[in-house]
Amino acid sequence: MKIIIINGPNLNLLGKRENDIYGDESFNDFFNRIREKYSNVDISCYQSNVEGELIDKLQEVGYSYDGIILNAAAYTHTSIGIGDTVKAIETPVVEVHISNTFSREEFRHTSFISPNAKGIILGFGLQSYELALQSFLKE
Ligand code: DQA
């Protein structure tokens, strides 16, 4: 089982960014915990602040991996390009958000990912990623 977590812009700042919304754990610390806990799963992660690089990575893994956990961050609400890629590739994508985007500003209520995602998990902090991972393991 090959799973990748793909994180969009500013998620490299987790742990030191708006801690009241995103918590105080760095993504690396969280990822190391998850990797240990699910040591039977081949799980990797990728982060970029650049829209085109996220598209390149989705295309690269989107025909061979078993699952993609995608937090496109702000690009969720703006990127037709990433939305098109999610539609084009074959690997199922679970859309994830740390915060409950529907309880925040109106512009965060739109997602170009959701229409083509296998499912959406949001609002559970970093645990959103773990729940997405479990959704692939239950198949
Ligand atoms: C986010 C929510 C987005 O609206 C925001 O731009 C982010 C993070 C989340 O995980 O809650 O950067 O995707």
Side-chain angles (χ1 to χ4, degrees):
M1 168 81 51
K2 235 171 138 67
I3 306 283
I4 186 168
I5 297 173
I6 299 181
N7 273 336
N10 300 308
L11 293 172
N12 54 315
L13 297 179
L14 286 177
K16 50 186 176 189
R17 169 196 185 198
E18 297 175 276
N19 294 23
D20 48 324
I21 298 173
Y22 299 113
D24 50 20
E25 188 171 19
S26 75
F27 191 79
N28 274 354
D29 287 351
F30 168 76
F31 184 68
N32 287 337
R33 277 201 294 116
I34 287 297
R35 237 203 331 214
E36 258 177 48
K37 187 167 169 185
Y38 298 89
S39 53
N40 55 327
V41 184
D42 180 351
I43 177 161
S44 54
C45 70
Y46 175 82
Q47 191 275 332
S48 176
N49 294 322
V50 181
E51 186 175 9
E53 288 179 359
L54 294 165
I55 291 172
D56 284 345
K57 181 54 77 175
L58 285 164
Q59 290 185 4
E60 180 191 318
V61 300
Y63 297 89
S64 53
Y65 279 52
D66 299 299
I68 297 170
I69 298 168
L70 175 63
N71 185 348
Y75 288 140
T76 304
H77 319 300
T78 62
S79 178
I80 295 169
I82 294 176
D84 280 353
T85 311
V86 170
K87 188 171 186 186
I89 60 179
E90 287 169 3
T91 300
V93 173
V94 173
E95 177 182 350
V96 155
H97 299 284
I98 297 163
S99 62
N100 177 355
T101 48
F102 291 101
S103 70
R104 301 179 65 191
E105 303 95 322
E106 189 99 27
F107 66 84
R108 296 185 204 276
H109 300 186
T110 302
S111 167
F112 287 102
I113 314 294
S114 300
N116 296 297
K118 182 181 178 205
I120 307 158
I121 299 172
L122 53 90
F124 294 97
L126 288 173
Q127 199 197 354
S128 295
Y129 292 95
E130 185 173 0
L131 294 170
L133 177 62
Q134 287 171 353
S135 78
F136 285 116
L137 305 184
K138 287 223 166 81
E139 275 174 3

